[in-house]
């Protein structure tokens, strides 16, 4: 399974250090006979137009993804808590309703959302993407966090209240630290969703200086040809933030996924 | 290295050429400054470098050079995979435009080939289109018929309609009115690998003369060497597919309608004719019976075939002259043993005319792009700066830039581009340009109908896939496609 998962990554990395001609050889060269970092040099060279574009697209993706993540966490944390702890009319219906958006393919919402963004004056802004990504990132974030809160014993909060804490203080000082792995997992999920999204970014942004990485990477495909080493180098660079994020926060993510496995 | 015998092929096809040229010509041909009735590699060489043009002066007469304005513009860009030469000319173009019109604030966006139409359609639905757009040749009529485009003819920007290929002008006409100007026109050629031919026991310098021979050669190559003979392309919703299948369909005497006839009416659906079925049968024979084409043809577009050709795994394909430049770029950037291998591929590349059908008919898609100006109500902000848009239109369709922007892979939309010194330089520097330029008179424009993108990008690939996957017989697939076209043109939709 590890080989199956790792092979595409290894192949991507090896292709990225081949020349354009070597990348097209058949049978394929596993290890390039003449390895070169030319594709990376081009991508990271701010003096080069390819490098300028790539670095700008990278920054744009980072900005959109971080903003989406922060907003998703800020909204999902109280929403999920409310669904977990409070009883109010229509609670069950609303809880299922938030997931409705995710039951349909993204392309169905493309034109309506584009028209909405146009009316709001948000076409050609990163705000249009952040808002759109929230529409499909938030529901799952709320579901994920709600499950997490359900597993935190309500008695802990009651004890804090008896000790004089307000509900907000109990939430902030007791529930939040205990739910940190869940919040981190939610943040990672939101970040990856926004980082990889293509269709909305390709449609809503029409200025070169605003494009995000998934759209920018398409530029390695031409009508009749593909710059495979450039494409693979850019794809590898694009995967770096996600890999780093996972490596740093892996223990929280695993805890979040396994927390609900045992009933408290 | 010996070049293919282009002259001999042209003589053999002379009668067909005359017919095809008459198809392309309008009654106003005599007013043309370039005589397309004489079209041949020799004629093109004779007019190259015979006239000087001053773009700034000519466009300044349309929009004053000190004009202050703002322009938003989308176009199909050239990107990392394209030849360096072409990418440099695109950069030069925008620098030159900004220098010539320093007070026009230009906001351009380059989009990829497969994204442009979808993105443009979505933007129009939200009234957020650009002021100007440059679209693939089959896009213009769809948008003109829906009322998105302003009337725009060459005369509006200082040129004459007669200075553009009549076939290209048809692609910007809708109900007798003109809605755009051709920027470039292209016809592809037939490319083969001489080394593979030799190893398979074929004459390395002689391409297949007919599509039946393509089928036979493909089988012989596959049976002898175990590699693919012909680079079939049958991907769904990709422009590459009709560009490669329609020449075959027309050569056998078929058509979607009567688009390959001298005066098409687009009223009779011919996809289910015996001739169309014969063309489909040829693809079936290669894919199913002989298994002599890439098994991945159902998902391949040309960008996937090209590496196979360069790796010596496909012997023949239909493609652009720019493939040769792509190969030169790859060779220049390779090192050591890879550089030598790349040189071997270059030495074995051969270009020839696209094969004929059984009765000697030769055809190719008359491709290219057109430039259009939108109506204000569909534009972001509700305003079109017409003077700025005309300045850009004039600039791109000028003899100088319509030639330079098509330098490595196409031909200038403005026929006067053939008279420039850059054309002369191009003929000297770009190997095989003669061949694809010589294919121009055989070009058949796609039907000038709003439904054409659906027919070419969806119905035709579907027909191929239905036959090649065995979902339907060849007859059933052709009948099904013909019925879909009848439903579509009858207003029934897909």
């Amino acid at each position: 399974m590890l080989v199956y998962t790792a092979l595409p990554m290894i192949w991507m990395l090896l292709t990225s250090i081949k020349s354009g001609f070597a990348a097209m050889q058949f049978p394929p060269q596993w290890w390039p006979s003449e390895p070169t970092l030319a594709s990376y040099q081009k991508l990271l060279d701010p003096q080069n137009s390819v490098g300028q574009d790539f670095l700008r697209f990278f920054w744009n993706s980072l900005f959109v993804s971080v903003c989406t993540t922060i907003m998703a966490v800020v909204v999902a944390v109280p929403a999920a808590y409310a669904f977990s702890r409070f009883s109010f009319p229509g609670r069950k219906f609303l809880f299922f309703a938030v997931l409705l958006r995710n039951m349909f393919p993204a392309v169905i919402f493309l034109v309506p959302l584009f028209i909405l963004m146009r009316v709001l004056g948000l076409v050609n802004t990163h705000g249009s993407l952040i808002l759109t990504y929230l529409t499909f990132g938030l529901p799952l974030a709320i579901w994920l966090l709600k499950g997490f809160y359900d597993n935190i014993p309500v008695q802990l909060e009651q004890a804090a209240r008896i000790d004089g804490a307000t509900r907000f203080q109990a939430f902030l000082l007791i529930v939040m630290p205990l739910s940190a792995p869940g919040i981190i997992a939610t943040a990672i999920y939101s970040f990856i969703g926004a980082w990889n999204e293509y269709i909305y970014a390709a449609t809503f942004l029409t200025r070169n200086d605003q494009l995000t990485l998934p759209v920018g990477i398409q530029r390695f495909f031409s009508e009749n040809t593909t710059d495979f080493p450039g494409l693979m180098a850019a794809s590898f660079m694009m995967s770096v933030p996600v890999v780093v994020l996972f490596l740093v926060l892996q223990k929280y993510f695993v805890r979040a996924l396994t927390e609900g496995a045992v009933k408290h | 290295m010996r070049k293919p015998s282009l002259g001999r092929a042209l003589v053999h096809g002379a009668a067909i050429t005359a017919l095809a040229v008459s198809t392309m010509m309008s009654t106003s041909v005599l007013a043309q400054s370039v005589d397309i009735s004489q079209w041949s590699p020799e004629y093109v060489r004779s007019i190259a470098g015979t006239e000087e043009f001053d773009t700034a002066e000519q466009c300044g007469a349309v929009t004053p050079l000190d004009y202050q304005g703002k322009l938003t513009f989308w176009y199909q860009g050239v990107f990392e995979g394209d030849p360096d030469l072409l990418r440099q000319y695109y950069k030069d173009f925008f620098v030159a435009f900004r220098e010539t019109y320093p007070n026009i604030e230009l906001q351009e966006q380059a989009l990829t080939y497969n994204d442009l139409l979808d993105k443009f359609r979505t933007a129009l639905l939200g009234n957020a289109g650009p002021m100007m757009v440059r679209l693939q040749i089959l896009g213009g009529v769809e948008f003109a018929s829906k009322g998105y485009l302003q009337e725009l003819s060459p005369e509006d920007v200082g040129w004459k309609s007669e200075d553009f290929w009549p076939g290209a002008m048809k692609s910007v006409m809708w109900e007798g009115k003109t809605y755009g100007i051709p920027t470039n026109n292209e016809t592809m050629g037939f490319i083969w690998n001489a080394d593979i031919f030799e190893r398979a026991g074929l004459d390395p310098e002689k391409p297949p003369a007919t599509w039946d021979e393509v089928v036979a050669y493909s089988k012989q190559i596959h049976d002898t060497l175990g590699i693919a003979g012909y680079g079939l392309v049958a991907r769904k919703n990709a422009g590459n597919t009709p560009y490669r299948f329609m020449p075959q369909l027309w050569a056998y005497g078929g058509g979607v309608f009567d688009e390959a006839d001298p005066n098409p009416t687009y009223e009779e659906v011919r996809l289910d004719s015996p001739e169309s079925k014969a063309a489909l049968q040829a693809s079936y024979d290669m894919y199913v019976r002989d298994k002599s084409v890439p098994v991945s043809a159902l998902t391949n577009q040309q960008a996937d075939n090209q590496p196979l050709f360069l790796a010596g795994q496909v012997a023949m394909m239909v493609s652009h002259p720019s493939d040769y430049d792509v190969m030169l770029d790859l060779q220049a950037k390779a090192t050591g043993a890879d550089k030598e291998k790349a040189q071997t591929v270059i030495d074995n590349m051969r270009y020839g005319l696209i094969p004929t059908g059984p009765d000697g008919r030769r055809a190719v898609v008359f491709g290219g792009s057109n430039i259009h100006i939108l109506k204000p109500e569909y534009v972001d902000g509700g305003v079109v700066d017409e003077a700025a848009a005309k300045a850009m239109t004039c600039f791109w369709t000028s003899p100088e830039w319509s030639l330079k922007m098509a330098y490595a892979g196409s031909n200038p939309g403005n026929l006067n581009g053939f008279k420039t010194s850059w054309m002369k330089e191009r003929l000297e520097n770009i190997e095989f340009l003669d061949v694809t330029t010589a294919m121009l008179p055989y070009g058949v424009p796609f039907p000038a109908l709003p439904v054409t993108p659906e027919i070419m990008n969806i119905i035709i690939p579907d027909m191929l896939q239905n036959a090649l996957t065995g979902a339907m017989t060849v007859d059933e697939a052709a009948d099904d496609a013909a019925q879909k076209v009848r439903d579509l043109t009858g207003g029934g939709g897909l």
Side-chain angles (χ1 to χ4, degrees), chain B residues 244-473:
Chain B
R244 277 148 194 87
F245 181 67
M246 293 308 292
Q248 189 179 330
L249 188 81
W250 291 324
Y252 277 96
V256 174
F257 305 99
D258 56 352
E259 68 274 9
D261 288 359
N263 295 299
T265 60
Y266 310 133
E267 284 173 1
E268 181 194 353
V269 176
R270 294 182 180 171
L271 266 181
D272 50 359
S273 69
E275 293 82 6
S276 294
K277 287 178 178 176
L280 187 56
Q281 182 69 45
S283 291
Y284 177 89
D285 289 348
M286 286 191 279
Y287 190 87
V288 180
R289 188 193 66 189
D290 302 337
K291 298 180 174 51
S292 68
V293 297
V295 71
S296 54
L298 297 178
T299 52
N300 273 0
Q301 51 185 342
Q302 185 59 19
D304 305 303
N305 262 346
Q306 195 195 44
L308 293 173
F309 181 86
L310 297 181
Q313 294 301 303
V314 164
M316 304 176 281
M317 62 181 184
V318 171
S319 200
H320 292 271
S322 59
D323 278 15
Y324 186 76
D325 281 280
V326 169
M327 197 58 236
L328 290 179
D329 275 2
L330 292 174
Q331 195 261 358
K333 290 168 188 165
T335 54
D338 287 343
K339 202 175 186 72
E340 286 173 33
K341 284 185 201 166
Q343 186 60 51
T344 307
V345 175
I346 290 170
D347 290 344
N348 284 301
M349 278 181 97
R350 300 286 188 276
Y351 276 63
L353 300 182
I354 287 183
T356 68
D359 65 354
R361 186 186 187 99
R362 195 190 310 277
V364 65
V365 178
F366 191 80
S369 297
N370 303 316
I371 208 161
H372 308 276
I373 301 177
L374 277 81
K375 286 183 180 168
E377 55 265 41
Y378 301 108
V379 169
D380 196 10
V383 177
V384 169
D385 186 333
E386 290 198 22
K390 285 182 177 173
M392 168 60 77
T393 307
C394 174
F395 220 72
W396 197 311
T397 57
S398 64
E400 176 186 0
W401 286 105
S402 76
L403 182 284
K404 287 181 176 175
M405 303 289 269
Y407 200 91
S410 193
N411 285 292
N414 190 325
L415 288 167
N416 286 307
F418 285 99
K419 295 180 178 174
T420 63
S421 55
W422 300 289
M423 182 66 200
K424 191 173 172 59
E425 173 193 290
R426 201 173 165 231
L427 283 166
E428 286 161 6
N429 295 338
I430 301 183
E431 193 88 45
F432 305 123
L433 185 64
D434 269 2
V435 184
T436 41
T437 303
M439 281 299 304
L440 275 167
Y442 300 102
V444 177
F446 280 141
L449 296 172
V451 293
T452 295
E454 274 124 284
I455 293 172
M456 293 300 169
N457 290 347
I458 297 171
I459 295 178
I460 294 292
D462 268 355
M463 178 179 75
L464 272 165
Q465 296 220 340
N466 283 334
L468 302 186
T469 58
M472 295 180 186
T473 64

Side-chain angles (χ1 to χ4, degrees), chain A residues 1-23:
Chain A
M1 184 55 80
L2 182 67
V3 172
Y4 180 79
T5 312
L7 201 60
M9 294 289 287
I10 294 168
W11 188 248
M12 178 170 73
L13 193 57
L14 290 175
T15 305
S16 72
I17 57 171
K18 291 177 183 173
S19 71
F21 180 78

Side-chain angles (χ1 to χ4, degrees), chain B residues 133 140-141 143-145 147-154 169 171-181 370-375:
Chain B
V133 66
V141 173
F143 298 105
S145 70
Y148 293 128
L149 306 178
Q150 290 192 33
E151 283 187 51
L152 174 70
S153 68
M169 289 306 299
S171 71
V172 289
M173 307 271 302
W174 175 246
E175 295 187 335
K177 293 176 180 169
T178 312
Y179 290 92
I181 304 174
N370 303 316
I371 208 161
H372 308 276
I373 301 177
L374 277 81
K375 286 183 180 168

